[in-house]
Amino acid sequence: MIDRRLSITLLLPLGACSMVPTYQRPALPVPTALPTGAAYGEPSPNSADAALPSLPYRDVFRDPRLQAVIDQALTNNRDLRIAAANIEIARAQYRAQRAEQLPLINSNNSVNIVDAGTGRTNIGGSPVTGGQRTNYALNLGLTQFEIDIFGRLAALSEADQARYFASDVGARATRLALIGDIATAWLQYATDKSLLNVAQQTVDNAGASVRLIKARLDGGIAPRTDLAQAETVLATAQSDQAQQLTALAQDINALQLLVGAPIDTALLPGSIAEAAKGIGDAPATLESTILLRRPDVVQAEYQLRAANAEVGAARAALFPRLSLTLLAGLGSNGLSQLFTTRAFNYSATPGVSYPLFAGGRNKAALAQARAQLDVAVAAYERSIQVAFREVADALARRGTIEDQLGAQQRLAQATADSLRLTDARYRGGIDSFLANLDAQRSAYQAQRSLAQTQLVAAANRVALYRVLGGDALTDMGPKGPVPAINESPATSE
């Protein structure tokens, strides 16, 4: 009995070996500094930008109406609910895999009454004629418990834990994308509202011109071609007006889908110029290491860690598996003697299994796991490269958009002045209507272009918030993803 107990004691702590390769984060596949040059403007003199902290969306989206729409979406959006459900699925899978490392203990208890004369057995204690003998048994069994000598089960648990963390970070990425999409859609509504206002103003002005020219035509002062030209401007503006009404309805539909509930029209802006004032500028960094904190990049790294652990599990599967079956219980023909030392009995049966021939199945599984690890490395590196490109593009747009916006504002003002002057000269009989027509078209197009440029400028600030990670910046903590803090990214591993 001493030898059997000793063997069981020696077997239990063997599950300490790990075949998982030592994880090393791949080298940064992009330059350490984001691009600079004429298109990017002057670099920020604040070196603290390199340690960009999480940026709450309320610090960028300052309009209370937009904040209310975002808050409503964070409560009702179905994509966020799906992401939350996926986290629960991943958590449950991790717990189930981790439970494989623990023994499964079953209990089997019985009371048997045996007829001493005939040997018949009645289970359950119902009356039997003749002499009777009652047997009592209380048993516990541990069946085929795998002793994880080479860390196969631990590696699978590590992989599922990494996938669970990836799901958690994925939900943060979904939240970040949702906030950016809502801000962009809100700005698009504001732009379409401005374009509708421009079209409506042009319809009013063109309608007045048509009435004036008709009067001049009836008086024999203006030719019929002037009327036809004026009507083209009116018809164009009326067509644009109808199109913008459709666009506004579609903008509301898009917002309601993002929010997951009806939108209060009081929360919608009246123009892009008004809405743009409520969008602040996100700080930018000149060091690409900040990209390692973007939630989509962190998610890709957790998936890489999971693939790395899968290699360890596949390597461990090449070695024999050791299992243990343990039965222990109490048995007696007297209830009073059931819980005595003499009534105790047990048996322990260790076992070793190893496939003598599996057609190279385990080696093929290892090769597959290594190939999947290569895929995960490439996917992780590509996520960083995509993030680098997105940030560089947003910075390039930010570096030039103010100059473009200023020029567009001057153009709009100049064309408006030109229209006012040519209209006065036409009414005074100095210029032909053709000059007035060109001025109307130029002013109309300049106003539309100004609204679009204002959208580009405001949307660029939204894009910077989004591509820099926003308030979803994430570090890889020892127990899973944690919100990033204001420290150097190089210290956050």
Side-chain angles (χ1 to χ4, degrees), residues 61-206:
F61 309 131
R62 301 165 185 169
D63 192 302
R65 297 170 298 178
L66 178 55
Q67 291 178 359
V69 174
I70 293 174
D71 291 340
Q72 188 179 5
L74 294 179
T75 302
N76 297 308
N77 181 265
R78 268 49 178 185
D79 287 336
L80 289 184
R81 294 185 183 182
I82 292 173
N86 285 334
I87 292 176
E88 293 302 321
I89 292 172
R91 181 187 288 119
Q93 290 174 340
Y94 164 59
R95 289 177 176 174
Q97 182 58 54
R98 189 177 182 183
E100 293 292 329
Q101 299 176 255
L102 303 175
L104 177 62
I105 300 176
N106 296 314
S107 174
N108 183 15
N109 309 311
S110 63
V111 177
N112 296 334
I113 302 176
V114 181
D115 189 328
T118 64
R120 292 181 300 165
T121 301
N122 186 11
I123 300 175
S126 58
V128 178
T129 59
Q132 296 179 347
R133 183 175 69 253
T134 304
N135 295 326
Y136 301 91
L138 298 176
N139 298 303
L140 293 177
L142 184 154
T143 306
Q144 293 291 318
F145 168 57
E146 181 177 345
I147 301 175
D148 199 21
I149 298 179
F150 300 103
R152 186 184 71 88
L153 297 178
L156 292 175
S157 178
E158 181 180 340
D160 279 340
Q161 183 187 51
R163 292 192 186 95
Y164 159 49
F165 291 155
S167 296
D168 187 359
V169 181
R172 304 183 192 200
T174 301
R175 180 181 184 273
L176 175 63
L178 173 64
I179 293 174
D181 287 345
I182 289 176
T184 302
W186 193 76
L187 290 172
Q188 184 62 59
Y189 175 90
T191 303
D192 287 331
K193 186 71 171 178
S194 291
L195 293 176
L196 177 61
N197 295 337
V198 171
Q200 181 62 56
Q201 184 179 5
T202 304
V203 167
D204 295 341
N205 294 336

Side-chain angles (χ1 to χ4, degrees), residues 322-347:
L322 179 62
S323 62
L324 177 66
T325 298
L326 178 64
L327 299 176
L330 301 172
S332 174
N333 56 8
L335 185 60
S336 61
Q337 300 176 349
L338 181 62
F339 297 97
T340 62
T341 304
R342 295 179 58 186
F344 177 75
N345 62 83
Y346 77 94
S347 66

Side-chain angles (χ1 to χ4, degrees), residues 63 65-66 69 185-186 189-190 193 248 251-252 255 263-271 274-275:
D63 192 302
R65 297 170 298 178
L66 178 55
V69 174
W186 193 76
Y189 175 90
K193 186 71 171 178
L248 283 176
D251 292 340
I252 293 177
L255 276 169
I263 295 283
D264 185 358
T265 56
L267 300 177
L268 299 176
S271 69
E274 167 197 331

Side-chain angles (χ1 to χ4, degrees), residues 298-368:
V298 176
Q299 182 182 19
E301 185 168 3
Y302 274 123
Q303 291 167 343
L304 172 58
R305 286 178 176 269
N308 188 69
E310 292 280 9
V311 172
R315 291 170 64 180
L318 297 175
F319 294 85
R321 297 185 187 180
L322 179 62
S323 62
L324 177 66
T325 298
L326 178 64
L327 299 176
L330 301 172
S332 174
N333 56 8
L335 185 60
S336 61
Q337 300 176 349
L338 181 62
F339 297 97
T340 62
T341 304
R342 295 179 58 186
F344 177 75
N345 62 83
Y346 77 94
S347 66
T349 308
V352 178
S353 64
Y354 184 75
L356 296 178
F357 178 76
R361 181 181 305 166
N362 290 339
K363 290 184 178 180
L366 176 58
Q368 180 184 6

Side-chain angles (χ1 to χ4, degrees), residues 34 51 56 59 85 115 183-184 186 224 235 307 335 360 382 402 441 473 490:
L34 289 164
D59 291 349
D115 189 328
T184 302
W186 193 76
R224 187 169 294 276
L335 185 60
R382 187 179 186 279
E402 290 302 323
R441 289 172 176 170
L473 276 175

